[in-house]
Amino acid sequence: MTFGEQPAYLRVAGDLRKKIVDGRLPPHTRLPSQARIREEYGVSDTVALEARKVLMAEGLVEGRSGSGTYVRERPVPRRVARSGFRPERGATPFRQEQADAGVRGTWESRSERAEASAAVAERLGIESGDPVMRTKYLFREAGEPMMLSTSWEPLALTGRTPVMLPEEGPLGGMGVVERMRAIDVVVDNVTEEVGARPGLAEELLLLGGVPGHVVLVIQRTYFASGRPVETADIVVPADRYRAAYHLPVK
């Protein structure tokens, strides 16, 4: 194969992808069989199979047991608002976006005491094994799972205070900025790093995805005078949502 030349399975996958995108193979249409692909493109069974695997990994098609492979419905991506500044009324960005868009959002959470892993400890500037409060969230939009989040807060900071449990107490659900302010910790900076990877099986089960689907992972950390006070991993299905940033100009 010369430089710049695509393998045969990618050329076949590319042509089928184009047919899906331009509507010649609309949603719920059965993908041509392996034998049909082999005959139409003059390729081997192996090439035909690999081309179908590419489309499946991209989330364009799905297999149905005993029926074949079908073109998936392509959702119109919605935005997940990310903000470097504190929204009005003390709401978290998620709650504020839901209110602004007139969408009914709900969430479930569970907090528990845990030991910081080496990676979490590095992000929080504490020792591995130090106690943290770990809170797991599942956010829904109009009943549909849309986002997962796992946050960690050092109990050396919040332990034995009214804000130790993020979703309980007088400031439960008010977000990191307001909660930390209540214990005289002024959050003045937040950083986010965005990456993408295949979703883990347990993540896709909760988010309603299929194996191979890609997720956005937003690694967020809040700081107060340079000290990390909370860090979180936010997981969003990349085929359904886009991270939209609202950054103030100074």
Side-chain angles (χ1 to χ4, degrees):
M1 183 174 66
T2 60
F3 179 77
E5 183 182 353
Q6 281 189 322
Y9 76 94
L10 287 182
R11 293 199 301 272
V12 174
D15 189 66
L16 291 171
R17 184 190 303 111
K18 184 177 179 181
K19 291 179 179 178
I20 292 172
V21 171
D22 66 20
R24 282 178 287 167
L25 286 174
H28 311 297
T29 300
R30 192 172 187 270
L31 196 72
S33 67
Q34 188 167 312
R36 177 71 179 273
I37 293 174
R38 182 190 63 214
E39 294 171 4
E40 183 175 345
Y41 293 95
V43 296
S44 67
D45 280 335
T46 300
V47 169
L49 178 60
E50 289 302 313
R52 288 156 61 93
K53 286 182 178 179
V54 168
L55 298 177
M56 194 167 292
E58 292 176 350
L60 294 174
V61 301
E62 61 184 355
R64 299 180 187 174
S65 180
S67 179
T69 304
Y70 291 80
V71 177
R72 293 182 68 243
E73 188 82 43
R74 299 181 67 199
V76 177
R78 287 183 51 81
R79 68 185 181 93
V80 175
R82 311 301 307 161
S83 176
F85 55 93
R86 181 165 58 92
E88 298 177 1
R89 299 188 295 277
T92 64
F94 174 77
R95 291 166 173 81
Q96 187 65 53
E97 184 203 5
Q98 296 287 303
D100 293 343
V103 178
R104 187 176 181 181
T106 60
W107 55 92
E108 306 162 18
S109 66
R110 184 179 75 252
S111 295
E112 59 187 353
R113 183 187 176 101
E115 295 182 353
S117 66
V120 169
E122 182 178 1
R123 287 160 58 175
L124 287 174
I126 60 178
E127 295 295 324
S128 179
D130 279 359
V132 293
M133 184 60 66
R134 179 178 62 203
T135 304
K136 294 186 177 182
Y137 294 88
L138 169 60
F139 295 94
R140 300 179 187 273
E141 182 179 70
E144 178 186 2
M146 62 165 292
M147 182 168 65
L148 302 174
S149 177
T150 303
S151 69
W152 298 268
E153 295 178 355
L155 284 173
L157 177 66
T158 63
R160 299 181 183 276
T161 74
V163 301
M164 183 175 70
L165 295 171
E167 293 292 322
E168 298 181 24
L171 290 177
M174 291 300 291
V176 176
V177 175
E178 294 294 335
R179 291 175 47 251
M180 291 297 167
R181 188 187 300 277
I183 56 173
D184 297 323
V185 175
V186 179
V187 173
D188 55 17
N189 192 24
V190 58
T191 65
E192 292 194 348
E193 297 181 9
V194 183
R197 59 167 170 77
L200 304 178
E202 55 267 28
E203 294 169 341
L204 295 175
L205 180 63
L206 290 170
L207 291 170
V210 299
H213 273 196
V214 172
V215 295
L216 297 178
V217 181
I218 303 170
Q219 188 180 101
R220 180 196 68 206
T221 305
Y222 281 102
F223 296 86
S225 299
R227 176 187 182 182
V229 298
E230 188 257 21
T231 193
D233 285 338
I234 300 161
V235 178
V236 183
D239 65 330
R240 284 183 274 151
Y241 292 92
R242 298 288 183 266
Y245 282 82
H246 302 267
L247 305 176
V249 177
K250 297 182 179 180

